[in-house]
Amino acid sequence: MLVLRGDSSWIKNISTALIEQLLQDRTAEIKLRSITWGENVVDDEFSKVIGNFRQHLGCENDIVFFNDNEFHPDAFAALSGTIVEGGV
C-alpha cells in the first residue's frame, strides 16, 4: 500500500506515473482495472470515480486510489480488499 500526502498536483503526477508503469508491464489485451474513491487523483481515462463502495465488493482491481479528506474507514477497508495480487 502506498500513502501519498502532499499537494494535489504532486499526488496526481505520482499517480499518473504509477499508472504508466503498470500499463508498461501489461500486454495490449489486458486492461488495467482501476477505481478511485474521491476526486482529483488521476484522469478519468485511467480510473472510474465511484461514490458507493459497496457496489464494488467482490470486484477485482489492479489499483485503487483513495482520496478522502474525512477518511471513511469502511470504504477504505472494503476497497483495499478488491486489490489483486501484485496490485497497488
Side-chain angles (χ1 to χ4, degrees):
M1 179 183 306
L2 300 175
V3 176
L4 303 176
R5 184 175 180 170
D7 179 79
S8 61
S9 63
W10 176 81
I11 291 174
K12 192 168 188 172
N13 288 340
I14 295 294
S15 300
T16 301
L18 179 60
I19 287 174
E20 289 173 1
Q21 181 63 44
L22 289 172
L23 289 172
Q24 286 179 2
D25 294 342
R26 296 179 172 279
T27 60
E29 318 69 70
I30 302 174
K31 186 176 186 217
L32 183 69
R33 298 165 296 179
S34 175
I35 58 173
T36 298
W37 174 269
E39 299 178 6
N40 301 321
V41 180
V42 293
D43 295 325
D44 290 341
E45 70 179 283
F46 295 117
S47 184
K48 177 183 174 186
V49 178
I50 62 167
N52 184 348
F53 69 89
R54 288 179 181 89
Q55 292 178 337
H56 294 273
L57 295 173
C59 295
E60 293 184 338
N61 291 289
D62 298 298
I63 187 165
V64 174
F65 294 100
F66 193 87
N67 182 27
D68 188 350
N69 292 333
E70 297 180 18
F71 190 72
H72 191 295
D74 293 336
F76 182 79
L79 295 176
S80 64
T82 70
I83 300 171
V84 297
E85 180 180 351
V88 180

